[in-house]
Amino acid sequence: MASCGISLGDLAKCLKKLWHLLFTVLSKIQALAPSLLKGFRKGDQPSMAETVAANPLPELPQDMLVEIFSLLEIPDLVRAGSVCNSWRSAYNEMRSLGIYKLSQTPCLLYTSESAGDSAVCLYSLVEKRQYMFTLPDPPVRSRFLIGSSLGWLITVDASSEMHLVNPITGQQIALPSVATIEHIEPIFNESGAIHKYELSWYSGSKVYRTEPSVFTLGELRDYMYYKAFVFFDTSVKSYLVVLIHCPLSQLSFARVGDDEWTWIPPHTFYDDCIYVDGHLYACTEGEVHVFDLSGPVVTMKTIIGKAPRYSFCDKMYIVQAPWGGLLNVWRLYGNNDDPDDPDARNTGEIKIFSIDATEKKRVEIKNLDGHALFLGLNQSLCLSTKEYRSLKENYTYFADDNDLWLFGFRENRRDIGLFDLKTNSREELVAPQLWSNFPAPVWITPSFAKILPV
């Protein structure tokens, strides 16, 4: 189980913030028992010792504490679980049962050398501070991070095998072996163990190379993976993992519990995916395809063709709009004037289009008033700034997802920050930089979700 790097000693150093947390929780209690806040005034911030001595923490039933905690952001909840034994017990129960009501604000997940090889940090956009969690082996700093969805990380270990990891609960699930992907053939040594892989270069419509490439177990991951996603398929009540992979950014999928990956031919060069109402939507070279994965044979149709100016787009995303329909987002890189890191990429422009599936056309949107975007290796998101009040309206929160720069130039500065869609300008998320450049940081929406064994 993941452990949080926040001790009572840490809490003693931030009494003001802890008092704010207590007032937040007690304010929620007031709706159930108004007398509990008698004598409390907004803005009062006595010391923790004075608070507990004068106003002992209310002994509430466990189910009531769980109900209250379900309305907190996870960073607040982590701190609440460190206040006293009864609150810790309620926190543990919530983690165990996966009970949660509040829509969580995305955090930036990253590693740092000072935190150790097995720890990840979450930078909270609500709290403007970082939290640390320890993940199960293998050490996270030895892995690639290739995706984030529904609170889960998709990681690749030093043998090129994939796992799902929930950094909040510490649950880890092995995905089908890379050896079961259509284009991979294992090579066995004299003792019968896999020691190399062959990667064949073909799609459903074309052979690109007649000779396969050969990689060691550790080398394969440098070339094989682009991006991965976790979706929940409500029709069959199971989790679905979709993978964009080499050769040439093709698609495969597996349901949690499957023994192998299922290839989706014939197209290539996919950038992004989303799962809506039982259908997988994916964008490639400007086109948007929709797949039905429910039957024995995968079917596909094109809902919009290539954009005439696709060559001007460096990265493309497909996003579900909160008001309905789909968005097609283009990311363009600008000039890099940093003489110390000439290979680094800088996001220079974001273009947003709504997709009119009936007319099969794109309509450019000049701004996202009342909303914010999250782009990177995460599942692409568009969130309401009225519901997520810590987010900046009409901004894009971006992280690096250029696959060549992620895996080929591991020490390069990462393209992470905020992009103002109205002024077409970028801002730093935080300075100085908190994160290591490898593995590349990724946006994640914290969750207590558990995946039950199949």
Side-chain angles (χ1 to χ4, degrees), residues 69 78 80-93 95:
F69 284 1
V78 168
S82 299
V83 169
C84 62
N85 289 337
S86 62
W87 288 29
R88 182 68 180 179
S89 177
Y91 167 70
N92 287 335
E93 182 176 348
R95 283 210 321 186

Side-chain angles (χ1 to χ4, degrees), residues 109 147-155 163-173 228-231 239 377-379 442-452:
L109 182 143
S148 160
S149 308
L150 304 181
W152 293 89
L153 294 173
I154 304 97
T155 73
H163 293 82
L164 297 181
V165 186
N166 185 322
I168 303 300
T169 67
Q171 185 181 9
Q172 179 165 262
I173 298 172
F229 313 83
V230 183
F231 303 116
Y239 284 87
L377 286 172
N378 57 289
Q379 177 183 327
V442 59
W443 295 109
I444 189 169
T445 303
S447 171
F448 287 110
K450 298 178 68 175
I451 296 180
L452 300 178

Side-chain angles (χ1 to χ4, degrees), residues 145-380:
L145 304 181
I146 61 169
S148 160
S149 308
L150 304 181
W152 293 89
L153 294 173
I154 304 97
T155 73
V156 184
D157 66 21
S159 297
S160 298
E161 298 292 357
M162 290 167 281
H163 293 82
L164 297 181
V165 186
N166 185 322
I168 303 300
T169 67
Q171 185 181 9
Q172 179 165 262
I173 298 172
L175 294 174
S177 173
V178 64
T180 67
I181 293 177
E182 168 72 23
H183 306 82
I184 297 297
E185 190 70 30
I187 300 174
F188 298 90
N189 61 19
E190 293 180 355
S191 63
I194 298 174
H195 76 124
K196 291 182 180 180
Y197 287 113
E198 283 186 354
L199 169 62
S200 296
W201 295 82
Y202 62 88
S203 68
S205 59
K206 184 177 179 180
V207 175
Y208 300 95
R209 299 182 191 174
T210 56
E211 293 294 326
S213 300
V214 178
F215 300 104
T216 66
L217 273 61
E219 290 173 339
L220 181 64
R221 65 177 182 170
D222 287 332
Y223 303 90
M224 189 65 194
Y225 302 107
Y226 295 99
K227 191 173 182 180
F229 313 83
V230 183
F231 303 116
F232 185 72
D233 188 343
T234 56
S235 64
V236 293
K237 307 295 184 186
S238 70
Y239 284 87
L240 176 75
V241 181
V242 177
L243 180 64
I244 301 177
H245 61 84
C246 197
L248 305 176
S249 302
Q250 299 187 57
L251 293 177
S252 292
F253 75 93
R255 298 187 186 279
V256 172
D258 286 355
D259 295 325
E260 61 184 17
W261 293 93
T262 299
W263 181 38
I264 309 178
H267 296 283
T268 55
F269 296 111
Y270 285 99
D271 277 318
D272 202 19
C273 299
I274 194 169
Y275 198 73
V276 181
D277 297 331
H279 291 86
L280 177 69
Y281 293 81
C283 53
T284 168
E285 297 185 295
E287 290 187 355
V288 177
H289 299 158
V290 57
F291 300 90
D292 185 347
L293 309 181
S294 61
V297 178
V298 175
T299 60
M300 186 211 86
K301 64 179 181 180
T302 300
I303 63 171
I304 191 168
K306 287 186 179 182
R309 294 191 301 148
Y310 173 71
S311 59
F312 290 94
C313 175
D314 293 297
K315 280 287 182 177
M316 182 175 285
Y317 308 88
I318 187 164
V319 190
Q320 185 175 12
W323 57 86
L326 298 173
L327 301 177
N328 194 199
V329 181
W330 298 6
R331 181 174 178 177
L332 296 87
Y333 295 119
N335 295 326
N336 174 25
D337 299 323
D338 185 354
D340 297 325
D341 200 355
D343 292 322
R345 293 293 184 95
N346 288 326
T347 295
E349 188 175 4
I350 302 286
K351 289 182 176 293
I352 305 169
F353 302 86
S354 64
I355 296 175
D356 187 331
T358 303
E359 297 293 330
K360 294 187 178 297
K361 66 179 183 180
R362 297 172 182 80
V363 179
E364 187 168 4
I365 298 174
K366 294 299 184 181
N367 60 66
L368 277 179
D369 288 340
H371 296 85
L373 287 173
F374 281 82
L375 305 178
L377 286 172
N378 57 289
Q379 177 183 327
S380 304

Side-chain angles (χ1 to χ4, degrees), residues 108 123 125 128 338 345-347 392 395-398 413-420 425-435 443:
L108 187 70
Y123 181 77
L125 297 174
K128 301 294 190 295
D338 185 354
R345 293 293 184 95
N346 288 326
T347 295
K392 291 187 175 184
Y395 270 71
T396 296
Y397 293 75
F398 61 87
R413 175 181 55 80
R414 298 305 171 197
D415 186 25
I416 297 171
L418 287 70
F419 194 87
D420 187 334
S425 60
R426 56 180 289 153
E427 301 175 9
E428 294 298 322
L429 175 65
V430 61
Q433 175 178 310
L434 300 173
W435 47 84
W443 295 109

Side-chain angles (χ1 to χ4, degrees), residues 378-415:
N378 57 289
Q379 177 183 327
S380 304
L381 299 172
C382 181
L383 303 178
S384 167
T385 52
K386 292 182 179 179
E387 181 178 358
Y388 298 85
R389 296 184 180 276
S390 299
L391 303 182
K392 291 187 175 184
E393 178 184 41
N394 212 23
Y395 270 71
T396 296
Y397 293 75
F398 61 87
D400 208 333
D401 61 354
N402 185 297
D403 48 82
L404 175 62
W405 266 250
L406 294 183
F407 308 135
F409 297 85
R410 299 186 184 183
E411 296 307 317
N412 279 26
R413 175 181 55 80
R414 298 305 171 197
D415 186 25

